[in-house]
Amino acid sequence: MKTSLLCTVTAAVIVATIQTALSEERILPVPAVTIYPGDTINESMLKDRTFPENYRFRTAVVESPRVLAGKTARRTLLPGEPVPLNAVDDPKLVTRGVQTGIVFEEGGLSIIGVGIPLQSGTMGETVQVKNVDSGRVITGRVQSDGRIRIGIQ
């Protein structure tokens, strides 16, 4: 009787320990291949990897593959390693020194020109741009199509 009770209690403790160990794991997205700086990340480049809950990461890491999809690598990301938050960035839609369209719209008036950004920028970011025609430096907001909207923001 005592032996069967002891076995039952031991089995219950083992099952509880295994369940606790399984619940303490973290599943994180990691690169399946080497991703180089400037590469745009898509979900096919990622896989899930399980880490123990007590694993200590050197920096804050990305916890969802949806966060990584569409981002650009800022440095080399190695296969199987967690992706630090500061290792990825939004893609740059305008590049410093590369001509892009500038747009001014107010009411029914629309003026389109060409400018040279003085800094690279992502969507929604405010950047300075030099108007090619006038040579004046103006400030505008990067649009999703890569043009810069100037005027009242």
Side-chain angles (χ1 to χ4, degrees):
M1 175 90 172
K2 287 183 179 182
T3 306
S4 66
L5 181 61
L6 182 62
C7 289
T8 305
V9 170
T10 304
V13 169
I14 291 172
V15 168
T17 304
I18 291 172
Q19 287 175 343
T20 303
L22 291 175
S23 67
E24 291 181 358
E25 294 178 339
R26 290 175 66 185
I27 299 174
L28 299 176
V30 297
V33 296
T34 302
I35 301 173
Y36 295 98
D39 288 352
T40 300
I41 301 169
N42 59 50
E43 290 198 32
S44 68
M45 302 167 105
L46 304 171
K47 65 179 182 178
D48 288 336
R49 179 176 167 200
T50 304
F51 292 90
E53 186 62 36
N54 61 356
Y55 185 84
R56 297 288 173 226
F57 302 102
R58 287 183 241 153
T59 61
V61 296
V62 176
E63 297 195 14
S64 170
R66 285 178 280 153
V67 172
L68 290 172
K71 300 279 186 178
T72 303
R74 294 177 69 190
R75 62 176 184 242
T76 303
L77 304 175
L78 299 174
E81 294 296 317
V83 179
L85 284 173
N86 63 0
V88 294
D89 200 4
D90 291 325
K92 301 292 185 192
L93 296 176
V94 295
T95 305
R96 178 178 184 243
V98 177
Q99 285 188 355
T100 189
I102 54 176
V103 179
F104 175 81
E105 292 177 334
E106 188 172 323
L109 177 65
S110 178
I111 302 172
I112 299 173
V114 177
I116 299 174
L118 301 179
Q119 61 211 61
S120 298
T122 62
M123 187 175 91
E125 192 171 8
T126 301
V127 296
Q128 289 187 324
V129 60
K130 182 176 181 179
N131 186 324
V132 172
D133 296 327
S134 69
R136 293 187 63 188
V137 175
I138 50 182
T139 302
R141 188 167 297 222
V142 178
Q143 303 297 298
S144 61
D145 62 0
R147 296 189 300 174
I148 300 173
R149 178 183 296 275
I150 59 171
I152 300 172
Q153 304 295 317

